[in-house]
Every structure is written in C-alpha cells, then in structure tokens.
Amino acid sequence: MDDCIFCKIANGVIPSATVYEDEEFRAFLDLGPASKGHTLIVPKKHAKDVTELDQETAGKALVLAGKIGEAMKKGLGCTGFNVVANTGVSAGQTIFHFHMHVIPRYDDGEKIVEWVPGSNTDEERAEILDAIRSAL
Ligand code: AMP
Ligand code: ZN
C-alpha cells in the first residue's frame, strides 16, 4: 500500500517514537495522545481494519496490547488502560490500516471511553439476536 501512512510508519519508512518492534508489529506513541503514553499497535502487513485480520495477527496484537499496558502500569504509573480498535468512519476510524490504541488511564484522569447505558425490551433483544446470528 504505497499511499498508506501506517504501512510507512510500521515498516520504518517514516520515523516514529517506537515503543516496541518485532518482525510483524511496530508500536509507537500516538501524535495526538488521549493520555500520557497513548500508544498505537500496528501490524507491518496492511489490513484495513479488524475485519481483514488473520487469526494469528489478531491474537498477537491483543497479547502485545496486554504486555504494553502492563509496562505502562509499571513504567508510567497508570492504574488501567483501554484497548480500542475503531472500525469504520462511524466508529471514529480515521486511518484505514488496522491499529489498536492502548490508552493508559490514571486515577486522577478523566474517563476516556465511556457511554451512557441504554436499555431494550425482550422483543428488541430477540430481533437483535436474530439479525446478528443470521449474518454470522
Ligand atoms: P483512528 O481515529 O482510530 O483511526 O486513530 C488514528 C490515530 O492515529 C489518531 O489517534 C491519531 O492521533 C494518530 N496518528 C495519526 N497520524 C499519526 C502519526 N503520523 N504518528 C502517530 N500517530 C498518528
Ligand atoms: Zn497500510
């Protein structure tokens, strides 16, 4: 993908503040951090989003997120972290090369990923189940 900025960063064509690198992944600091230490985990092989990942890459990315999050707790003093993969424009994805945000959370910091809990009826839940299950 010649015009993909995360292909270029992940493969070292464009420099980045690299937290971790191996043959398949690069993890680097987000340029617009939601909190101190906000890191992106990016596979070197292009996939537009989570729907294009193979099982091995997806599994390794999630394990790596856990390792980096633990390192953030030890190294930065955060007490938790969010692991987020925005998928699609409506979900806030702006770069269409799969990446996982690892966002450190601090006891005195604001909540970054939250929503107001909604509700639904038994009928609505049944319809929703049918819609998702029949499309799997
Ligand atoms: P998303 O909105 O989930 O697609 O996330 C894209 C993220 O990439 C945003 O948090 C941006 O701040 C970050 N970003 C964009 N360009 C760069 C870059 N060159 N280096 C590091 N982070 C970047
Ligand atoms: Zn790419």
Side-chain angles (χ1 to χ4, degrees):
M1 293 286 288
D2 292 345
D3 57 350
C4 173
I5 184 163
F6 276 11
C7 275
K8 289 181 183 153
I9 293 176
N11 291 286
V13 177
I14 294 176
S16 63
T18 295
V19 170
Y20 172 86
E21 184 188 5
D22 63 24
E23 275 189 5
E24 292 161 89
F25 291 94
R26 184 183 298 271
F28 53 92
L29 296 182
D30 194 299
L31 272 187
S35 69
K36 182 180 164 188
H38 182 167
T39 293
L40 301 173
I41 296 175
V42 181
K44 294 185 174 180
K45 194 171 125 199
H46 185 87
K48 77 173 161 70
D49 61 32
V50 68
T51 67
E52 287 189 354
L53 290 185
D54 59 70
Q55 195 156 339
E56 198 190 333
T57 306
K60 284 186 179 172
L62 195 54
V63 170
L64 186 52
K67 282 190 183 152
I68 290 175
E70 276 300 302
M72 288 167 165
K73 285 165 80 174
K74 286 188 194 134
L76 294 175
C78 65
T79 49
F81 54 93
N82 296 103
V83 178
V84 181
N86 296 329
T87 307
V89 173
S90 63
Q93 188 176 7
T94 58
I95 297 198
F96 292 86
H97 175 130
F98 171 78
H99 51 283
M100 224 176 233
H101 298 257
V102 185
I103 306 173
R105 293 271 297 271
Y106 301 88
D107 284 343
D108 58 353
E110 62 182 290
K111 280 193 180 172
I112 291 159
V113 179
E114 62 180 345
W115 55 85
V116 179
S119 63
N120 47 34
T121 64
D122 288 348
E123 291 74 25
E124 285 168 337
R125 267 195 297 278
E127 262 178 48
I128 293 163
L129 286 182
D130 185 50
I132 299 173
R133 285 178 178 167
S134 63
L136 277 175

